[in-house]
Each structure stands twice: as C-alpha cells, then as structure tokens.
C-alpha cells in the first residue's frame, strides 16, 4: 500500500482525483470503450450518489426553504424560442482553425494558453482576436501550422424533429428559458403572487469548441437554477433581515482592475457603500455564499463573488455577479452565475409569441423582472472533490462533508471467519435501510480502511472478536483515524449524529 502511495505521490491533486474517480467509480468518460467523446462524462455509482446528495441539499436550501416551485422541462425546444431569447444570434464563441491540420480552437483560450498574463479577452471582436493571434505569432498547438482568422461559432446543438426532419429545434443551452416560458402556467396554476420563484434541476447542452479540464468545460452538463420573478418596484426583500449581518467575500465592480482582490465585508456595509444594488440581490449573494461554506464546507478564503463589468456581462444582464471558487489547478472559476435579467426574457417572448406574459396585481399590469442564481452542478462536484482531497505520509482521504459523502459508513468484519462475517452482515442489515452503508469483507483491514478513506466514508464500523463477547464494535473516524468502542445497538444514534 505504502509503495502504491509513494508512486502516486508524484502526481498532481487533479490527477489523483481523476485516478480515484476512475478506480472507485465517481466518474469516467462517456462511451469510454469507443475512446470516449470530448466534453461528455458519466457518473459512476459513487459520483451519482454524491451528485444526488448535493442536489438533495440544494433542494432543501433553494426550493424548500425558499418556497419555490420546482418544475421539470424538456431538453429540446423549437428554434423560435432561441431566436426570441437572443441565443440564436448571440450565444457564440470565437474560433480559429489551423490551415494545415484543420483542428479548431477557441480563440480566447488559445491566446490565454500562449501568452502569459495577456489582457482581458472577454468581449473582444473576431478582428481584435485575429490581430492578437497575428501579433503574438501564435501557431496551431497541434501541428505548428498557420491559423485562420477568428470567426463566430454558435454554441447550440441544432436538431431536426419529425420523420421528415422539418421542425428545427435546439437542445437547450440553459434551463432558464423553460422557466420563463412556463412562468404564466406556474403563476396561474399555483395561485401565484409576485415574487414567484421557479426552480429547475436539469441539463444544458453547449457545443463547446474546446471542451477541457474534466467538468470545467463540458458539452452536456447539469444545472440547478432558481428564477425569481418579481415586481421591479419592490426589491425590498423579506429575508434580508436574516442575512444582513453575514459577512461574505466580494469583488465589486468598483474594485475591479489591476491586482484585483476580493474583500471580506458585512452585507449591510456593502449595501451602504452601494456595492450591492438591492436587498434581493444581497439576500441571494449571502445564500449562495453560505451554501458553499456550510454545505460544501469549502473554506471561505477560497470563495468570492465577482461583479462583472458591462463589457463582460451576458447580453441580457443588468447586474451580473459570478460566484467563484479558487483551486490551485484552475485559479478562480465561475461556479454560479448570478444575473439580474430585468424583464429581458419575458419581454422578448412576449414579442415573439404575441401573447401577454404580464400579471395583474394590485390593480396594475406588471411585466416582472427576473433574477437568477444558476449553479453548475458538475463544476461544484469537481471543486468539492479537489477541496476534500487530503494526504499525509501514510494515506489519502477525501474529507467530504458527512451529508454529501456517497456512503455514511462502512461495515467490516475484522476477518471472514469465526462468525465475525455473520455478525457483520447482521449489523449491515440493521443499518442499510436507513443509511448508505458500504459492506466489504475481503482483504486486510488496513486495505479496507484505505479504500474507505479514498472514497470519503466518514466512519468505519469493525466487528471483531470482542463484538461476539460484549456486543461492542469499533468505530473509526475517517479524518482523525481515532477509534472508539460503541455498543452495536447505538450505531443508528451515532450515525444520525
Ligand atoms: P452560464 O449560464 O454560462 O453562466 O453558466 C452557469 C453555470 O453553469 C456556470 O457558472 C458553470 O458552473 C456552469 N457551466 C457553464 N458552462 C459549462 C460547461 N461548458 N461545462 C460545465 N459547466 C458549465
């Protein structure tokens, strides 16, 4: 075991995570036996369990506690929806192709990779990107060939529906539009009143030019979103009083620029400084921050909200904050997109569908505004795994939060004889209906502990000869490796703690 560990010690944390993921069943490339397909990943049993638990916690926080209405919608929507939403015209990246090998690259990524400390490329036109490529003499990273001028590339997957393929549709690049389209139905059927919150957990599809870095840039990915439809004249927020004393780490537009650094600040103070425009946005900034700190248990020094400058914002956004998580591997990465989209979406769909999407409240017709925190689930999972990774000279373990670990506990007989295996099975059966229990009886106990640590099992319950005498078992803690003896019948209580 030590040998294996010594060999692995050379590899990076990300490679370690990837190796654990593949060996133990967190994730692997889709269609792997055919060589996989870039940007598409599958969750194995442990990854699916982790994802389900994360989604369960998200639901608690952003659906249940928020009193939101969760809907489930189709992945395919007709082209007209994307014309109305602006995606058909504006959901683009800029690509450049190699004149020799015809490989294609995302122009901004290519420049970022080739030129250290390059200026900000967000919002640059094709002409500007082409000029930088030429000036910096950037060549094809695959074959060293000359590169074409940068050109616009729409990221949506088009799909033709029906036996003659006559109905042009797209796979949705974000779940938001379905919430906007369904807003009148939810409002009507749920006896709605503004503010009305719609939640969705679903998939998005983007034909990324250069998918990379595992879950950072995928072509099919999972999102959890909350859309808050509200009266633009009422941005005072009920929950504000509960969060106004929280401190968060933010990098507001006023502090962007060279050597930008986030500050730790009390929400109320940030509001007084005018760094956060209203109570509604302040409330969700605090909620998202606390979710990462309290549920994912990522140290707050690795978390921040960064306000986007006008040239960086999406076409629909009035105010736009990226919630970012830091890792040495990826730097600061956007994990949750937080946008005040004004009435942009409802207005555009009203124009294109020729249907009124207004509501009538307090004697007035109102076209609501919408604010959304939009979480990338897969990026959350990758960052959670990276931040949970621990190693010392003896072992590797994932310090996953107990509420999210794929298994709550492992049950091991010390040896597979003397009736210990029978007793262990009995205890496994006693626990398995209420908890996620991992059962393993083969190999040395040391190897079994090592395996349990690597997949983040918080507690290992071992049945030994003393169990048969006095009904106690040992319980080993993943993080400290300390063991204590506990009566077997108290295990449920212990696990509930
Ligand atoms: P966006 O609407 O582009 O701001 O995306 C919302 C969230 O989805 C981001 O904050 C990411 O967490 C996630 N996301 C966006 N694009 C991708 C992608 N290509 N692969 C994986 N996650 C993504």
């Amino acid at each position: 075991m030590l040998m294996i560990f010594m060999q692995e010690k050379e590899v990076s944390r990300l490679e370690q995570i990837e190796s654990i993921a593949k060996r133990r069943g967190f994730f692997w490339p889709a269609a792997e036996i055919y060589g996989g397909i870039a940007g598409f990943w599958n969750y194995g049993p442990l990854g699916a369990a982790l994802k389900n638990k994360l989604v369960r916690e998200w639901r608690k926080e952003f659906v249940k506690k928020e009193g939101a209405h969760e809907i489930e919608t189709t992945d395919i929507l007709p082209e007209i929806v994307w014309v109305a939403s602006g995606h058909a015209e504006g959901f683009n990246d800029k690509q450049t192709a190699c004149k020799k090998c015809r490989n294609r690259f995302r122009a901004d990524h290519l420049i970022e990779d080739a030129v250290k400390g390059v200026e900000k490329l967000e919002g640059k036109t094709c002409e500007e990107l082409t000029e930088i490529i030429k000036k910096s003499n950037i060549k094809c990273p695959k074959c060293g060939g000359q590169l074409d001028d940068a050109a616009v590339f729409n990221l949506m997957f088009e799909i033709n529906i029906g036996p003659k393929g006559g109905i042009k549709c797209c796979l949705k690049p974000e779940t938001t539009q379905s919430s906007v389209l369904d807003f009148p139905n939810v409002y009507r059927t749920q006896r709605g009143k503004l503010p009305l919150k719609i939640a969705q957990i679903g998939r998005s599809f983007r034909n990324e030019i250069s998918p990379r870095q595992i879950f950072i840039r995928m072509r099919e990915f999972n999102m959890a979103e909350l859309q808050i439809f509200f009266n633009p004249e009422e941005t005072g927020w009920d929950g504000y009083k509960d969060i106004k004393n929280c401190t968060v780490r933010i990098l507001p537009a006023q502090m962007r620029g060279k050597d930008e650094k986030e500050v730790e600040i009390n929400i109320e103070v940030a509001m007084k400084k005018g760094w956060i425009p209203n109570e509604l946005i302040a409330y969700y900034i605090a909620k998202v921050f606390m979710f990462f700190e309290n549920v994912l248990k990522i140290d707050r020094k690795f978390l921040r909200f960064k306000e986007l400058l006008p040239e960086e914002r999406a076409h629909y956004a009035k105010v736009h904050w990226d919630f970012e998580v830091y890792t040495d591997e990826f730097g600061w990465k956007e994990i949750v997109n937080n946008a005040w989209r004004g009435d942009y979406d409802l207005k555009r769909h009203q124009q294109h569908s020729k249907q009124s999407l207004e509501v009538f409240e307090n004697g007035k017709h109102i076209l609501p505004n919408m604010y959304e925190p939009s979480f990338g689930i897969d990026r959350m999972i990758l960052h959670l795994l990276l931040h949970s990774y621990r190693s010392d000279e003896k072992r590797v373990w994932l310090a996953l939060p107990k509420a999210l670990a794929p298994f709550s506990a492992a049950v091991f007989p010390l040896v597979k004889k003397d009736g210990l295996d029978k007793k262990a099975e009995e205890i496994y059966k006693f626990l398995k209906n209420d908890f996620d229990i991992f059962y393993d009886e083969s190999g040395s106990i040391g190897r079994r502990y090592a395996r349990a640590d690597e997949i983040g099992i918080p507690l290992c319950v071992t049945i030994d000869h003393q169990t048969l005498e006095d009904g106690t078992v040992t319980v080993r803690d993943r993080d400290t490796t300390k063991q204590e003896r506990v009566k077997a019948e108290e295990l449920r209580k212990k696990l509930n703690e």
Side-chain angles (χ1 to χ4, degrees):
M1 179 58 218
L2 195 63
M3 275 285 289
I4 296 169
F5 175 67
M6 299 271 280
Q7 281 166 8
E8 286 179 352
K9 191 90 177 120
E10 304 303 317
V11 299
S12 73
R13 181 170 72 162
L14 185 62
E15 286 165 329
Q16 283 277 23
I17 293 291
E18 222 180 329
S19 152
I20 294 173
K22 282 192 185 172
R23 278 185 292 112
R24 304 300 191 202
F26 280 95
F27 57 80
W28 44 65
E32 198 175 15
I33 60 165
Y34 292 104
I37 169 164
F40 294 87
W41 291 85
N42 288 348
Y43 286 106
L46 299 199
L50 174 61
K51 174 172 168 280
N52 288 340
K53 289 187 179 181
L54 183 61
V55 167
R56 182 188 66 191
E57 296 304 311
W58 189 89
R59 275 203 173 97
K60 256 191 228 165
E61 219 41 63
F62 292 94
V63 181
K64 213 162 183 255
K65 289 193 193 165
E66 287 292 301
H69 305 281
E70 185 177 341
I71 60 171
E72 201 173 313
T73 65
T74 62
D75 289 337
I76 297 175
L77 286 165
E79 192 189 22
I80 179 75
V81 171
W82 308 110
V83 172
S85 70
H87 284 80
E89 197 190 313
F91 196 57
N92 302 319
D93 276 338
K94 282 108 192 171
Q95 68 168 348
T96 172
C98 172
K99 290 183 181 169
K100 201 160 132 206
C101 68
R102 298 319 298 167
N103 266 303
R104 284 156 196 272
F105 309 95
R106 205 173 126 170
D108 53 351
H109 286 171
L110 192 75
I111 297 171
E112 277 162 10
D113 289 348
V115 188
K116 284 252 151 358
V118 68
E119 57 183 307
K120 287 213 161 51
L121 299 172
E122 216 124 18
K124 290 250 183 274
T125 62
C126 287
E127 291 72 32
E128 289 167 331
L129 293 170
T130 304
E131 205 180 312
I132 301 176
I133 292 175
K134 284 194 177 140
K135 261 198 186 151
S136 312
N137 199 20
I138 302 174
K139 295 277 170 354
C140 169
K142 289 261 158 68
C143 76
Q146 289 284 349
L147 293 164
D148 260 339
D149 288 357
V152 158
F153 175 76
N154 192 283
L155 295 180
M156 282 192 297
F157 287 104
E158 284 180 13
I159 177 164
N160 291 306
I161 304 293
K164 290 188 188 148
I167 309 165
K168 213 165 151 194
C169 292
C170 294
L171 283 170
K172 63 186 179 197
E174 60 171 25
T175 53
T176 313
Q177 293 309 315
S178 305
S179 294
V180 176
L181 299 181
D182 286 2
F183 165 74
N185 284 340
V186 177
Y187 186 87
R188 181 174 47 80
T189 57
Q190 306 306 306
R191 297 166 168 268
K193 222 170 103 11
L194 298 180
L196 182 102
K197 301 167 196 168
I198 299 183
Q200 271 204 77
I201 293 158
R203 286 184 182 243
S204 290
F205 304 83
R206 298 181 185 178
N207 197 5
E208 297 284 355
I209 298 164
S210 36
R212 56 185 188 170
Q213 296 169 321
I214 312 177
F215 294 168
I216 299 294
R217 203 155 295 282
M218 305 163 86
R219 287 182 166 140
E220 176 175 350
F221 56 96
N222 294 285
M223 297 178 99
E225 297 194 327
L226 184 66
Q227 278 84 33
I228 300 116
F229 294 87
F230 62 96
N231 182 340
E233 284 166 18
E234 291 168 17
T235 49
W237 205 247
D238 249 5
Y240 177 73
K241 58 184 181 321
D242 304 328
I243 57 90
K244 67 179 186 179
N245 293 323
C246 295
T247 57
V248 289
R249 292 164 62 81
I250 60 172
L251 175 55
Q254 291 82 345
M255 296 179 69
R256 296 285 312 276
K258 238 177 165 261
D259 305 326
E260 46 194 28
K261 181 97 187 80
E262 61 286 351
V263 288
E264 183 135 357
I265 194 164
N266 171 282
I267 290 274
E268 206 172 18
V269 176
M271 284 281 284
K272 283 201 181 124
K273 281 179 181 283
W275 287 357
I276 302 177
N278 61 44
E279 290 186 359
L280 184 159
I281 294 181
Y283 174 79
Y284 286 105
I285 282 183
K287 280 276 295 197
V288 171
F289 196 93
M290 286 190 290
F291 187 71
F292 279 78
E293 190 173 32
N294 300 336
V295 178
L296 278 78
K297 300 205 184 291
I298 299 179
D299 190 314
R300 57 167 44 215
K301 68 172 182 270
F302 300 118
L303 311 176
R304 76 174 185 193
F305 268 91
K306 179 179 85 183
E307 186 174 7
L308 300 191
L309 301 173
E311 64 272 22
E312 297 169 334
R313 285 181 209 148
H315 59 278
Y316 47 71
K318 278 170 79 148
V319 175
H320 205 158
W321 290 79
D322 278 352
F323 175 77
E324 300 181 325
V325 177
Y326 181 86
T327 55
D328 285 340
E329 290 78 359
F330 306 124
W332 287 105
K333 269 284 160 220
E334 174 200 338
I335 311 289
V336 188
N337 172 46
N338 306 269
W340 178 6
R341 299 170 70 125
D343 61 6
Y344 174 86
D345 302 275
L346 282 172
K347 197 184 247 163
R348 296 272 300 202
H349 286 299
Q350 195 164 254
Q351 282 161 0
H352 282 79
S353 68
K354 303 196 172 44
Q355 309 239 2
S356 168
L357 301 178
E358 289 179 339
V359 298
F360 188 72
E361 282 189 11
N362 303 326
K364 272 194 186 162
H365 289 281
I366 305 164
L367 190 62
N369 267 225
M370 193 255 278
Y371 178 80
E372 64 168 2
S374 157
F375 295 67
I377 294 176
D378 313 284
R379 281 194 197 173
M380 271 204 267
I381 288 176
L382 184 57
H383 282 77
L384 174 62
L385 290 171
L386 284 167
H387 277 286
S388 301
Y389 182 84
R390 305 275 187 282
S391 69
D392 61 20
E393 60 288 350
K394 293 205 197 88
R395 64 188 188 118
V396 165
W397 73 104
L398 288 186
L400 288 168
K402 294 191 170 79
L404 301 179
F407 293 103
S408 319
V411 171
F412 301 144
L414 182 63
V415 287
K416 213 167 119 186
K417 56 181 188 184
D418 305 336
L420 298 187
D421 44 350
K422 272 217 176 69
K423 187 71 193 164
E425 241 188 281
E426 213 176 273
I427 290 176
Y428 167 65
K429 284 189 181 144
F430 166 66
L431 297 173
K432 80 176 171 72
N433 289 351
D434 296 319
F435 305 96
D436 298 311
I437 306 292
F438 180 79
Y439 183 81
D440 191 5
E441 55 181 25
S442 52
S444 76
I445 194 71
R447 267 181 180 276
R448 280 180 276 162
Y449 283 153
R451 181 182 179 146
D453 286 346
E454 245 194 355
I455 58 176
I457 303 180
L459 297 173
C460 290
V461 175
T462 303
I463 287 80
D464 54 18
H465 292 95
Q466 195 179 326
T467 313
L468 303 182
E469 285 162 24
D470 63 8
T472 63
V473 294
T474 65
V475 176
R476 172 185 176 274
D477 183 277
R478 172 195 68 198
D479 300 325
T480 62
T481 71
K482 289 223 165 75
Q483 302 196 14
E484 56 172 335
R485 283 207 87 87
V486 170
K487 281 213 166 308
E489 62 262 31
E490 282 168 16
L491 280 172
R492 275 170 190 263
K493 199 169 136 233
K494 174 105 190 136
L495 287 179
N496 273 325
E497 278 165 19

